[in-house]
Amino acid sequence: PIKIIATSEGSTNPEYRFYLRDPNGNLLTLQPYGATNTVTWTPTKAGTYQIIVHSKDKSNTDGSMYSYEARTDMSYTIK
């Protein structure tokens, strides 16, 4: 198993969403938006995967529906 940990700076109430794009291009949700900043993924076959993390701050106080969002991704190769 591979534990993926995301961190967010400057957020009062961060939420995280984790995706995985497999070597065939299929997108899998590892975790929908939530307060947990970790997810565990167990690869089942070799290949290069793209791990995608979205983070947003749910602490908006101006009454708007919008919140700050960020996205990052990295490639991870399983041999």
Side-chain angles (χ1 to χ4, degrees):
I2 298 169
K3 185 174 184 178
I4 304 164
I5 303 169
T7 58
S8 176
E9 294 181 16
S11 296
T12 304
N13 189 11
E15 289 192 332
Y16 304 90
R17 177 169 60 188
F18 295 85
Y19 289 111
L20 181 74
R21 187 170 307 278
D22 70 18
N24 296 324
N26 301 309
L27 190 63
L28 170 69
T29 301
L30 296 176
Q31 175 184 292
Y33 267 120
T36 304
N37 71 333
T38 63
V39 67
T40 300
W41 163 56
T42 303
T44 58
K45 64 179 183 176
T48 299
Y49 295 80
Q50 184 179 23
I51 299 167
I52 304 163
V53 180
H54 292 181
S55 175
K56 67 180 179 179
D57 187 349
K58 293 284 289 180
S59 64
N60 62 356
T61 58
D62 62 4
S64 71
M65 294 177 54
Y66 301 104
S67 57
Y68 178 76
E69 294 189 33
R71 175 191 188 277
T72 191
D73 61 80
M74 65 176 278
S75 293
Y76 199 89
T77 301
I78 303 297
K79 295 185 178 185

